[in-house]
Amino acid sequence: MNKCNFYIFLLPFLCLLVVGCSKAPVTFVEVAPIIYKNCSNCHRPNQSGPFSLLSYSDCRNKAATIKYTVETRFMPPWPADYTYQHYIGEKYLTVAEINRICNWVDDGALMGDSDKIPAPPHFYAHSMLGKPDLVVKATPFFIKGDKHERFIMMKIPFENVADTFIRAIEFVTNNKKLVHHVNGHLLNYLPHQTTNLYKPPFVIDRDTAYEIAESFHNLNLTANDGSEPAFIGSVTNYLPGMETLIFPDGIGTYKVNKHAALLLRDIHYGATTVDTWDSSYFNIFYADKPPKRPTIERQLGTLGISQITPPLVVRPNKIDTFRTQATLPVDISLLTINPHMHLIGKSFWAYAVKPNGDTIPIIRIPKWDFRWQYFYTFKTMLKIPKGATIYVVGVYDNTANNPNNPFYPPREIREPVGGNMKTTDEMFQLIMTYLPYQKGDENISLQNP
Ligand code: HEC
């Protein structure tokens, strides 16, 4: 081959090399699937995100902040360490996805071929889960701007077309800033027991903690003949950032009568300086079958089955560590966990050690964030055998360097003895939802089809 022929021979390879190196700019065609999958369910009207990310122009307008928030992993919010344990719906971007978004912004946030941009997903406007079977409105509540935290109890009667079953009750509020938590129970009435159900009071501003029995009396929940409705505890819960769960068919569903009520033993509003309203509602999703396996809920730590050592008193200007643990008397299948701390939480770690010494990772949150308190559901049921010990370690930062410290200068922060937990008090809990173990559970997916 002479010299000239040799170059002609090389030419196609050189061309390939040049084309390969001068990459085409990243366009929205490649970025849209990442945004729609990881961001849009919150960034749409009526949901928590402060603006929508549902179209090219939505994203182009926010391109610089999108780049910043994904690079720093501020968005999507996912405080759990995704290298430690996996959960359903986990929200984190791979390094490749982060790079793709950043390159898109650096390349000028171009649209690309509009025909190739996928359509944004279809969402139901007033729910994170889809279209509910029934919407039950809570009594609108006026929150006075007097800088006081409030602990409200409510009775919310509702009627179903017939006796049936419920899969999930999702709490939705228009006042995400002030609703700190909700804990609701279900009351099932027989027709003759409804004599007082629709009589006031519906709302009580409770300054002190009521026992359930007292709330029956104070909210007029008992029938004229003195009989009480059937009670199912903790059917609906809400914490900042949380999404309601729906387990696969047959797990964790419960019965609901035609005549029923929600008893919010606790709806906790934070303090504010401005008068405002909360108009909350509950989305109810029915199940067509009775529960095959009702779930059990227990918590370690504050108000739970295990003590905290040392007692939860966080000294001013200190970073203190607390522990709690429990040994299982039976095999369980763990479905969901909810780690809970308040403002000065710094990190949270839970794991189990089996009798043979093996460790089962449960959750690690390296940087606690009060705003994102998910109920983390395992991808498949997590078996923890009889005799295993669950260990929970919580670190609290009560120094002036903690920007979330509610007090300056720092002062002692503790778990209150009895009474209500204010946001500025502390808590240390691992809430667990589980089933008694059955053979093969570890292969059962908790993902809804
Ligand atoms: C679980 C709900 C949720 C998800 C998922 C989510 N966001 Fe957000 N996002 C929020 C909320 C709430 C805020 C307001 C946060 C605040 O003010 O502290 C926010 C704020 C932002 C901001 C503004 C930050 C600022 O400082 O102004 C950007 C940009 C953003 N999100 C982008 C994204 C992107 C990109 C994704 C996906 C990769 C995403 N978000 C996923 C709820 C969410």
Side-chain angles (χ1 to χ4, degrees), residues 164-166 169 183-189 212 216 229-237 252-257 260-265 291 294-295:
T164 179
F165 304 97
I166 288 182
I169 303 181
N183 177 230
H185 312 296
L186 179 69
L187 304 177
N188 278 328
Y189 285 82
I212 296 275
F216 268 68
F231 177 93
I232 306 178
S234 279
V235 294
T236 179
N237 291 298
T253 52
Y254 37 85
K255 188 171 181 282
V256 64
N257 288 3
L262 287 170
L263 164 61
L264 306 188
R265 214 192 72 161
T295 55

PDB file of all heavy atoms in Angstrom, residues 164-166 169 183-189 212 216 229-237 252-257 260-265 291 294-295:
ATOM      1  N   THR A 164     -67.420  -2.411  54.008  1.00  0.00           N
ATOM      2  CA  THR A 164     -66.417  -2.827  53.023  1.00  0.00           C
ATOM      3  C   THR A 164     -65.029  -2.868  53.680  1.00  0.00           C
ATOM      4  O   THR A 164     -64.940  -3.022  54.903  1.00  0.00           O
ATOM      5  CB  THR A 164     -66.471  -1.903  51.774  1.00  0.00           C
ATOM      6  OG1 THR A 164     -65.472  -2.317  50.856  1.00  0.00           O
ATOM      7  CG2 THR A 164     -66.224  -0.448  52.109  1.00  0.00           C
ATOM      8  N   PHE A 165     -63.958  -2.743  52.861  1.00  0.00           N
ATOM      9  CA  PHE A 165     -62.596  -2.799  53.386  1.00  0.00           C
ATOM     10  C   PHE A 165     -61.799  -1.612  52.852  1.00  0.00           C
ATOM     11  O   PHE A 165     -62.088  -1.094  51.780  1.00  0.00           O
ATOM     12  CB  PHE A 165     -61.921  -4.111  52.980  1.00  0.00           C
ATOM     13  CG  PHE A 165     -62.696  -5.302  53.423  1.00  0.00           C
ATOM     14  CD1 PHE A 165     -63.564  -5.942  52.556  1.00  0.00           C
ATOM     15  CD2 PHE A 165     -62.601  -5.746  54.730  1.00  0.00           C
ATOM     16  CE1 PHE A 165     -64.320  -7.020  52.971  1.00  0.00           C
ATOM     17  CE2 PHE A 165     -63.351  -6.825  55.160  1.00  0.00           C
ATOM     18  CZ  PHE A 165     -64.210  -7.468  54.279  1.00  0.00           C
ATOM     19  N   ILE A 166     -60.787  -1.206  53.617  1.00  0.00           N
ATOM     20  CA  ILE A 166     -59.961  -0.061  53.224  1.00  0.00           C
ATOM     21  C   ILE A 166     -58.519  -0.514  53.055  1.00  0.00           C
ATOM     22  O   ILE A 166     -58.009  -1.297  53.862  1.00  0.00           O
ATOM     23  CB  ILE A 166     -60.068   1.060  54.282  1.00  0.00           C
ATOM     24  CG1 ILE A 166     -61.446   1.716  54.210  1.00  0.00           C
ATOM     25  CG2 ILE A 166     -58.969   2.097  54.102  1.00  0.00           C
ATOM     26  CD1 ILE A 166     -61.640   2.862  55.176  1.00  0.00           C
ATOM     27  N   ILE A 169     -55.613   5.232  53.743  1.00  0.00           N
ATOM     28  CA  ILE A 169     -56.224   6.535  53.974  1.00  0.00           C
ATOM     29  C   ILE A 169     -55.097   7.566  53.909  1.00  0.00           C
ATOM     30  O   ILE A 169     -54.181   7.543  54.724  1.00  0.00           O
ATOM     31  CB  ILE A 169     -56.927   6.603  55.349  1.00  0.00           C
ATOM     32  CG1 ILE A 169     -57.977   5.489  55.469  1.00  0.00           C
ATOM     33  CG2 ILE A 169     -57.570   7.968  55.546  1.00  0.00           C
ATOM     34  CD1 ILE A 169     -58.740   5.499  56.783  1.00  0.00           C
ATOM     35  N   ASN A 183     -52.193  11.774  63.622  1.00  0.00           N
ATOM     36  CA  ASN A 183     -52.350  10.372  63.958  1.00  0.00           C
ATOM     37  C   ASN A 183     -53.846  10.114  64.061  1.00  0.00           C
ATOM     38  O   ASN A 183     -54.526  10.731  64.872  1.00  0.00           O
ATOM     39  CB  ASN A 183     -51.621  10.074  65.278  1.00  0.00           C
ATOM     40  CG  ASN A 183     -51.811   8.635  65.719  1.00  0.00           C
ATOM     41  OD1 ASN A 183     -52.168   8.376  66.856  1.00  0.00           O
ATOM     42  ND2 ASN A 183     -51.602   7.690  64.810  1.00  0.00           N
ATOM     43  N   GLY A 184     -54.365   9.234  63.192  1.00  0.00           N
ATOM     44  CA  GLY A 184     -55.815   9.039  63.133  1.00  0.00           C
ATOM     45  C   GLY A 184     -56.217   7.585  63.293  1.00  0.00           C
ATOM     46  O   GLY A 184     -55.529   6.687  62.817  1.00  0.00           O
ATOM     47  N   HIS A 185     -57.353   7.385  63.965  1.00  0.00           N
ATOM     48  CA  HIS A 185     -57.889   6.046  64.205  1.00  0.00           C
ATOM     49  C   HIS A 185     -59.247   5.916  63.521  1.00  0.00           C
ATOM     50  O   HIS A 185     -59.905   6.919  63.240  1.00  0.00           O
ATOM     51  CB  HIS A 185     -58.054   5.811  65.704  1.00  0.00           C
ATOM     52  CG  HIS A 185     -56.837   6.186  66.494  1.00  0.00           C
ATOM     53  ND1 HIS A 185     -55.637   5.548  66.360  1.00  0.00           N
ATOM     54  CD2 HIS A 185     -56.622   7.179  67.394  1.00  0.00           C
ATOM     55  CE1 HIS A 185     -54.744   6.093  67.172  1.00  0.00           C
ATOM     56  NE2 HIS A 185     -55.317   7.106  67.799  1.00  0.00           N
ATOM     57  N   LEU A 186     -59.647   4.673  63.292  1.00  0.00           N
ATOM     58  CA  LEU A 186     -60.932   4.436  62.630  1.00  0.00           C
ATOM     59  C   LEU A 186     -61.939   3.885  63.637  1.00  0.00           C
ATOM     60  O   LEU A 186     -61.618   2.984  64.421  1.00  0.00           O
ATOM     61  CB  LEU A 186     -60.744   3.421  61.497  1.00  0.00           C
ATOM     62  CG  LEU A 186     -61.992   3.052  60.710  1.00  0.00           C
ATOM     63  CD1 LEU A 186     -62.468   4.234  59.868  1.00  0.00           C
ATOM     64  CD2 LEU A 186     -61.721   1.852  59.796  1.00  0.00           C
ATOM     65  N   LEU A 187     -63.156   4.451  63.621  1.00  0.00           N
ATOM     66  CA  LEU A 187     -64.230   3.960  64.484  1.00  0.00           C
ATOM     67  C   LEU A 187     -65.318   3.386  63.589  1.00  0.00           C
ATOM     68  O   LEU A 187     -65.781   4.063  62.668  1.00  0.00           O
ATOM     69  CB  LEU A 187     -64.794   5.109  65.321  1.00  0.00           C
ATOM     70  CG  LEU A 187     -63.776   5.870  66.162  1.00  0.00           C
ATOM     71  CD1 LEU A 187     -64.439   7.027  66.878  1.00  0.00           C
ATOM     72  CD2 LEU A 187     -63.109   4.940  67.175  1.00  0.00           C
ATOM     73  N   ASN A 188     -65.718   2.153  63.846  1.00  0.00           N
ATOM     74  CA  ASN A 188     -66.767   1.499  63.061  1.00  0.00           C
ATOM     75  C   ASN A 188     -68.037   1.402  63.890  1.00  0.00           C
ATOM     76  O   ASN A 188     -68.048   0.782  64.957  1.00  0.00           O
ATOM     77  CB  ASN A 188     -66.312   0.091  62.650  1.00  0.00           C
ATOM     78  CG  ASN A 188     -65.426   0.138  61.417  1.00  0.00           C
ATOM     79  OD1 ASN A 188     -65.608   1.011  60.553  1.00  0.00           O
ATOM     80  ND2 ASN A 188     -64.469  -0.767  61.337  1.00  0.00           N
ATOM     81  N   TYR A 189     -69.115   2.003  63.387  1.00  0.00           N
ATOM     82  CA  TYR A 189     -70.371   2.062  64.119  1.00  0.00           C
ATOM     83  C   TYR A 189     -71.385   1.067  63.560  1.00  0.00           C
ATOM     84  O   TYR A 189     -71.483   0.890  62.340  1.00  0.00           O
ATOM     85  CB  TYR A 189     -70.960   3.467  64.004  1.00  0.00           C
ATOM     86  CG  TYR A 189     -70.245   4.491  64.869  1.00  0.00           C
ATOM     87  CD1 TYR A 189     -69.071   5.088  64.434  1.00  0.00           C
ATOM     88  CD2 TYR A 189     -70.742   4.840  66.118  1.00  0.00           C
ATOM     89  CE1 TYR A 189     -68.411   6.008  65.219  1.00  0.00           C
ATOM     90  CE2 TYR A 189     -70.088   5.767  66.912  1.00  0.00           C
ATOM     91  CZ  TYR A 189     -68.928   6.345  66.466  1.00  0.00           C
ATOM     92  OH  TYR A 189     -68.273   7.260  67.253  1.00  0.00           O
ATOM     93  N   ILE A 212     -57.442   7.840  75.065  1.00  0.00           N
ATOM     94  CA  ILE A 212     -58.489   7.507  74.096  1.00  0.00           C
ATOM     95  C   ILE A 212     -59.859   7.510  74.785  1.00  0.00           C
ATOM     96  O   ILE A 212     -60.831   8.057  74.273  1.00  0.00           O
ATOM     97  CB  ILE A 212     -58.233   6.121  73.465  1.00  0.00           C
ATOM     98  CG1 ILE A 212     -56.948   6.146  72.661  1.00  0.00           C
ATOM     99  CG2 ILE A 212     -59.406   5.658  72.624  1.00  0.00           C
ATOM    100  CD1 ILE A 212     -57.054   6.635  71.250  1.00  0.00           C
ATOM    101  N   PHE A 216     -63.374   9.664  73.840  1.00  0.00           N
ATOM    102  CA  PHE A 216     -64.701   9.112  73.559  1.00  0.00           C
ATOM    103  C   PHE A 216     -65.763   9.954  74.255  1.00  0.00           C
ATOM    104  O   PHE A 216     -66.781  10.294  73.690  1.00  0.00           O
ATOM    105  CB  PHE A 216     -64.790   7.652  74.054  1.00  0.00           C
ATOM    106  CG  PHE A 216     -64.422   6.671  72.994  1.00  0.00           C
ATOM    107  CD1 PHE A 216     -63.118   6.591  72.545  1.00  0.00           C
ATOM    108  CD2 PHE A 216     -65.373   5.849  72.421  1.00  0.00           C
ATOM    109  CE1 PHE A 216     -62.767   5.699  71.551  1.00  0.00           C
ATOM    110  CE2 PHE A 216     -65.035   4.955  71.426  1.00  0.00           C
ATOM    111  CZ  PHE A 216     -63.734   4.875  70.996  1.00  0.00           C
ATOM    112  N   PRO A 229     -68.170   2.298  69.591  1.00  0.00           N
ATOM    113  CA  PRO A 229     -67.865   1.740  68.268  1.00  0.00           C
ATOM    114  C   PRO A 229     -66.609   0.871  68.333  1.00  0.00           C
ATOM    115  O   PRO A 229     -65.819   1.004  69.266  1.00  0.00           O
ATOM    116  CB  PRO A 229     -67.601   2.983  67.423  1.00  0.00           C
ATOM    117  CG  PRO A 229     -67.148   4.015  68.406  1.00  0.00           C
ATOM    118  CD  PRO A 229     -67.895   3.736  69.676  1.00  0.00           C
ATOM    119  N   ALA A 230     -66.433   0.008  67.326  1.00  0.00           N
ATOM    120  CA  ALA A 230     -65.207  -0.793  67.233  1.00  0.00           C
ATOM    121  C   ALA A 230     -64.066   0.137  66.839  1.00  0.00           C
ATOM    122  O   ALA A 230     -64.241   1.040  66.020  1.00  0.00           O
ATOM    123  CB  ALA A 230     -65.390  -1.891  66.195  1.00  0.00           C
ATOM    124  N   PHE A 231     -62.892  -0.100  67.408  1.00  0.00           N
ATOM    125  CA  PHE A 231     -61.770   0.822  67.269  1.00  0.00           C
ATOM    126  C   PHE A 231     -60.623   0.148  66.527  1.00  0.00           C
ATOM    127  O   PHE A 231     -60.206  -0.948  66.886  1.00  0.00           O
ATOM    128  CB  PHE A 231     -61.327   1.218  68.683  1.00  0.00           C
ATOM    129  CG  PHE A 231     -60.124   2.111  68.747  1.00  0.00           C
ATOM    130  CD1 PHE A 231     -60.271   3.487  68.793  1.00  0.00           C
ATOM    131  CD2 PHE A 231     -58.837   1.577  68.774  1.00  0.00           C
ATOM    132  CE1 PHE A 231     -59.158   4.318  68.865  1.00  0.00           C
ATOM    133  CE2 PHE A 231     -57.727   2.401  68.837  1.00  0.00           C
ATOM    134  CZ  PHE A 231     -57.899   3.778  68.888  1.00  0.00           C
ATOM    135  N   ILE A 232     -60.102   0.783  65.466  1.00  0.00           N
ATOM    136  CA  ILE A 232     -58.892   0.284  64.785  1.00  0.00           C
ATOM    137  C   ILE A 232     -57.852   1.410  64.832  1.00  0.00           C
ATOM    138  O   ILE A 232     -58.085   2.502  64.314  1.00  0.00           O
ATOM    139  CB  ILE A 232     -59.171  -0.119  63.323  1.00  0.00           C
ATOM    140  CG1 ILE A 232     -60.324  -1.129  63.261  1.00  0.00           C
ATOM    141  CG2 ILE A 232     -57.921  -0.710  62.687  1.00  0.00           C
ATOM    142  CD1 ILE A 232     -60.710  -1.547  61.862  1.00  0.00           C
ATOM    143  N   GLY A 233     -56.739   1.147  65.491  1.00  0.00           N
ATOM    144  CA  GLY A 233     -55.752   2.204  65.775  1.00  0.00           C
ATOM    145  C   GLY A 233     -54.870   2.552  64.585  1.00  0.00           C
ATOM    146  O   GLY A 233     -54.613   1.715  63.722  1.00  0.00           O
ATOM    147  N   SER A 234     -54.425   3.806  64.555  1.00  0.00           N
ATOM    148  CA  SER A 234     -53.400   4.297  63.613  1.00  0.00           C
ATOM    149  C   SER A 234     -53.643   3.884  62.166  1.00  0.00           C
ATOM    150  O   SER A 234     -52.780   3.302  61.525  1.00  0.00           O
ATOM    151  CB  SER A 234     -52.014   3.792  64.035  1.00  0.00           C
ATOM    152  OG  SER A 234     -51.528   4.611  65.050  1.00  0.00           O
ATOM    153  N   VAL A 235     -54.808   4.206  61.635  1.00  0.00           N
ATOM    154  CA  VAL A 235     -55.079   3.871  60.237  1.00  0.00           C
ATOM    155  C   VAL A 235     -54.531   4.930  59.301  1.00  0.00           C
ATOM    156  O   VAL A 235     -54.379   4.696  58.099  1.00  0.00           O
ATOM    157  CB  VAL A 235     -56.585   3.698  59.956  1.00  0.00           C
ATOM    158  CG1 VAL A 235     -57.147   2.494  60.687  1.00  0.00           C
ATOM    159  CG2 VAL A 235     -57.353   4.952  60.340  1.00  0.00           C
ATOM    160  N   THR A 236     -54.267   6.109  59.843  1.00  0.00           N
ATOM    161  CA  THR A 236     -53.693   7.149  58.987  1.00  0.00           C
ATOM    162  C   THR A 236     -52.715   7.986  59.798  1.00  0.00           C
ATOM    163  O   THR A 236     -52.979   8.331  60.941  1.00  0.00           O
ATOM    164  CB  THR A 236     -54.789   8.003  58.300  1.00  0.00           C
ATOM    165  OG1 THR A 236     -54.168   9.004  57.492  1.00  0.00           O
ATOM    166  CG2 THR A 236     -55.725   8.665  59.289  1.00  0.00           C
ATOM    167  N   ASN A 237     -51.562   8.237  59.200  1.00  0.00           N
ATOM    168  CA  ASN A 237     -50.510   8.995  59.865  1.00  0.00           C
ATOM    169  C   ASN A 237     -49.922   9.968  58.874  1.00  0.00           C
ATOM    170  O   ASN A 237     -49.917   9.723  57.677  1.00  0.00           O
ATOM    171  CB  ASN A 237     -49.379   8.061  60.308  1.00  0.00           C
ATOM    172  CG  ASN A 237     -49.833   7.159  61.424  1.00  0.00           C
ATOM    173  OD1 ASN A 237     -50.196   7.612  62.497  1.00  0.00           O
ATOM    174  ND2 ASN A 237     -49.837   5.865  61.148  1.00  0.00           N
ATOM    175  N   GLY A 252     -52.567  -5.799  55.332  1.00  0.00           N
ATOM    176  CA  GLY A 252     -52.780  -4.541  56.035  1.00  0.00           C
ATOM    177  C   GLY A 252     -54.090  -3.844  55.703  1.00  0.00           C
ATOM    178  O   GLY A 252     -54.265  -2.693  56.050  1.00  0.00           O
ATOM    179  N   THR A 253     -55.019  -4.503  55.016  1.00  0.00           N
ATOM    180  CA  THR A 253     -56.323  -3.874  54.806  1.00  0.00           C
ATOM    181  C   THR A 253     -57.153  -4.061  56.067  1.00  0.00           C
ATOM    182  O   THR A 253     -56.838  -4.903  56.903  1.00  0.00           O
ATOM    183  CB  THR A 253     -57.061  -4.520  53.620  1.00  0.00           C
ATOM    184  OG1 THR A 253     -57.063  -5.926  53.827  1.00  0.00           O
ATOM    185  CG2 THR A 253     -56.378  -4.221  52.320  1.00  0.00           C
ATOM    186  N   TYR A 254     -58.195  -3.265  56.226  1.00  0.00           N
ATOM    187  CA  TYR A 254     -59.046  -3.429  57.395  1.00  0.00           C
ATOM    188  C   TYR A 254     -60.486  -3.135  57.036  1.00  0.00           C
ATOM    189  O   TYR A 254     -60.801  -2.499  56.040  1.00  0.00           O
ATOM    190  CB  TYR A 254     -58.566  -2.560  58.563  1.00  0.00           C
ATOM    191  CG  TYR A 254     -58.036  -1.228  58.143  1.00  0.00           C
ATOM    192  CD1 TYR A 254     -58.895  -0.155  57.948  1.00  0.00           C
ATOM    193  CD2 TYR A 254     -56.673  -1.061  57.908  1.00  0.00           C
ATOM    194  CE1 TYR A 254     -58.406   1.057  57.531  1.00  0.00           C
ATOM    195  CE2 TYR A 254     -56.180   0.154  57.477  1.00  0.00           C
ATOM    196  CZ  TYR A 254     -57.053   1.207  57.295  1.00  0.00           C
ATOM    197  OH  TYR A 254     -56.579   2.402  56.863  1.00  0.00           O
ATOM    198  N   LYS A 255     -61.347  -3.568  57.935  1.00  0.00           N
ATOM    199  CA  LYS A 255     -62.776  -3.491  57.716  1.00  0.00           C
ATOM    200  C   LYS A 255     -63.255  -2.081  57.996  1.00  0.00           C
ATOM    201  O   LYS A 255     -62.751  -1.420  58.895  1.00  0.00           O
ATOM    202  CB  LYS A 255     -63.422  -4.474  58.705  1.00  0.00           C
ATOM    203  CG  LYS A 255     -64.878  -4.700  58.525  1.00  0.00           C
ATOM    204  CD  LYS A 255     -65.302  -5.858  59.436  1.00  0.00           C
ATOM    205  CE  LYS A 255     -66.763  -6.137  59.257  1.00  0.00           C
ATOM    206  NZ  LYS A 255     -67.631  -5.217  59.944  1.00  0.00           N
ATOM    207  N   VAL A 256     -64.232  -1.624  57.221  1.00  0.00           N
ATOM    208  CA  VAL A 256     -64.891  -0.361  57.558  1.00  0.00           C
ATOM    209  C   VAL A 256     -66.390  -0.577  57.423  1.00  0.00           C
ATOM    210  O   VAL A 256     -66.851  -1.234  56.488  1.00  0.00           O
ATOM    211  CB  VAL A 256     -64.392   0.810  56.677  1.00  0.00           C
ATOM    212  CG1 VAL A 256     -64.732   0.615  55.207  1.00  0.00           C
ATOM    213  CG2 VAL A 256     -64.936   2.145  57.161  1.00  0.00           C
ATOM    214  N   ASN A 257     -67.145  -0.077  58.402  1.00  0.00           N
ATOM    215  CA  ASN A 257     -68.604  -0.210  58.352  1.00  0.00           C
ATOM    216  C   ASN A 257     -69.194   0.903  57.504  1.00  0.00           C
ATOM    217  O   ASN A 257     -68.537   1.912  57.234  1.00  0.00           O
ATOM    218  CB  ASN A 257     -69.199  -0.136  59.750  1.00  0.00           C
ATOM    219  CG  ASN A 257     -68.908  -1.385  60.559  1.00  0.00           C
ATOM    220  OD1 ASN A 257     -68.210  -2.290  60.086  1.00  0.00           O
ATOM    221  ND2 ASN A 257     -69.431  -1.434  61.762  1.00  0.00           N
ATOM    222  N   ALA A 260     -69.069   5.221  59.849  1.00  0.00           N
ATOM    223  CA  ALA A 260     -67.728   5.208  60.423  1.00  0.00           C
ATOM    224  C   ALA A 260     -67.305   6.627  60.766  1.00  0.00           C
ATOM    225  O   ALA A 260     -67.984   7.604  60.402  1.00  0.00           O
ATOM    226  CB  ALA A 260     -66.749   4.585  59.436  1.00  0.00           C
ATOM    227  N   ALA A 261     -66.206   6.735  61.473  1.00  0.00           N
ATOM    228  CA  ALA A 261     -65.640   8.059  61.762  1.00  0.00           C
ATOM    229  C   ALA A 261     -64.137   7.928  61.869  1.00  0.00           C
ATOM    230  O   ALA A 261     -63.623   6.864  62.227  1.00  0.00           O
ATOM    231  CB  ALA A 261     -66.214   8.608  63.064  1.00  0.00           C
ATOM    232  N   LEU A 262     -63.451   9.023  61.540  1.00  0.00           N
ATOM    233  CA  LEU A 262     -62.031   9.098  61.840  1.00  0.00           C
ATOM    234  C   LEU A 262     -61.913   9.868  63.144  1.00  0.00           C
ATOM    235  O   LEU A 262     -62.571  10.906  63.328  1.00  0.00           O
ATOM    236  CB  LEU A 262     -61.283   9.840  60.734  1.00  0.00           C
ATOM    237  CG  LEU A 262     -61.127   9.061  59.432  1.00  0.00           C
ATOM    238  CD1 LEU A 262     -60.596   9.964  58.325  1.00  0.00           C
ATOM    239  CD2 LEU A 262     -60.182   7.883  59.652  1.00  0.00           C
ATOM    240  N   LEU A 263     -61.124   9.349  64.047  1.00  0.00           N
ATOM    241  CA  LEU A 263     -60.831  10.063  65.280  1.00  0.00           C
ATOM    242  C   LEU A 263     -59.380  10.515  65.191  1.00  0.00           C
ATOM    243  O   LEU A 263     -58.458   9.696  65.238  1.00  0.00           O
ATOM    244  CB  LEU A 263     -61.037   9.139  66.491  1.00  0.00           C
ATOM    245  CG  LEU A 263     -60.418   9.626  67.810  1.00  0.00           C
ATOM    246  CD1 LEU A 263     -61.014  10.965  68.236  1.00  0.00           C
ATOM    247  CD2 LEU A 263     -60.627   8.599  68.913  1.00  0.00           C
ATOM    248  N   LEU A 264     -59.197  11.819  64.978  1.00  0.00           N
ATOM    249  CA  LEU A 264     -57.827  12.333  64.985  1.00  0.00           C
ATOM    250  C   LEU A 264     -57.534  12.656  66.433  1.00  0.00           C
ATOM    251  O   LEU A 264     -58.059  13.617  66.978  1.00  0.00           O
ATOM    252  CB  LEU A 264     -57.688  13.593  64.137  1.00  0.00           C
ATOM    253  CG  LEU A 264     -58.181  13.482  62.695  1.00  0.00           C
ATOM    254  CD1 LEU A 264     -57.801  14.718  61.924  1.00  0.00           C
ATOM    255  CD2 LEU A 264     -57.601  12.247  62.027  1.00  0.00           C
ATOM    256  N   ARG A 265     -56.776  11.798  67.042  1.00  0.00           N
ATOM    257  CA  ARG A 265     -56.502  12.047  68.451  1.00  0.00           C
ATOM    258  C   ARG A 265     -55.457  13.146  68.541  1.00  0.00           C
ATOM    259  O   ARG A 265     -55.269  13.767  69.549  1.00  0.00           O
ATOM    260  CB  ARG A 265     -56.021  10.781  69.127  1.00  0.00           C
ATOM    261  CG  ARG A 265     -56.519  10.734  70.558  1.00  0.00           C
ATOM    262  CD  ARG A 265     -55.831   9.673  71.322  1.00  0.00           C
ATOM    263  NE  ARG A 265     -54.478  10.077  71.559  1.00  0.00           N
ATOM    264  CZ  ARG A 265     -53.711   9.582  72.476  1.00  0.00           C
ATOM    265  NH1 ARG A 265     -54.151   8.651  73.241  1.00  0.00           N
ATOM    266  NH2 ARG A 265     -52.492   9.984  72.638  1.00  0.00           N
ATOM    267  N   PRO A 291     -58.877  -8.536  54.775  1.00  0.00           N
ATOM    268  CA  PRO A 291     -57.440  -8.693  54.985  1.00  0.00           C
ATOM    269  C   PRO A 291     -57.078 -10.149  55.217  1.00  0.00           C
ATOM    270  O   PRO A 291     -57.716 -10.831  56.012  1.00  0.00           O
ATOM    271  CB  PRO A 291     -57.178  -7.878  56.248  1.00  0.00           C
ATOM    272  CG  PRO A 291     -58.507  -7.773  56.929  1.00  0.00           C
ATOM    273  CD  PRO A 291     -59.537  -7.808  55.854  1.00  0.00           C
ATOM    274  N   PRO A 294     -53.431  -9.040  58.669  1.00  0.00           N
ATOM    275  CA  PRO A 294     -53.402  -7.699  59.262  1.00  0.00           C
ATOM    276  C   PRO A 294     -51.999  -7.360  59.790  1.00  0.00           C
ATOM    277  O   PRO A 294     -51.301  -8.236  60.293  1.00  0.00           O
ATOM    278  CB  PRO A 294     -54.409  -7.785  60.417  1.00  0.00           C
ATOM    279  CG  PRO A 294     -54.983  -9.154  60.388  1.00  0.00           C
ATOM    280  CD  PRO A 294     -54.191 -10.000  59.447  1.00  0.00           C
ATOM    281  N   THR A 295     -51.584  -6.128  59.637  1.00  0.00           N
ATOM    282  CA  THR A 295     -50.236  -5.728  60.057  1.00  0.00           C
ATOM    283  C   THR A 295     -50.222  -5.346  61.541  1.00  0.00           C
ATOM    284  O   THR A 295     -51.247  -5.029  62.125  1.00  0.00           O
ATOM    285  CB  THR A 295     -49.743  -4.534  59.230  1.00  0.00           C
ATOM    286  OG1 THR A 295     -50.704  -3.486  59.342  1.00  0.00           O
ATOM    287  CG2 THR A 295     -49.557  -4.898  57.791  1.00  0.00           C
TER     288      THR A 295
END
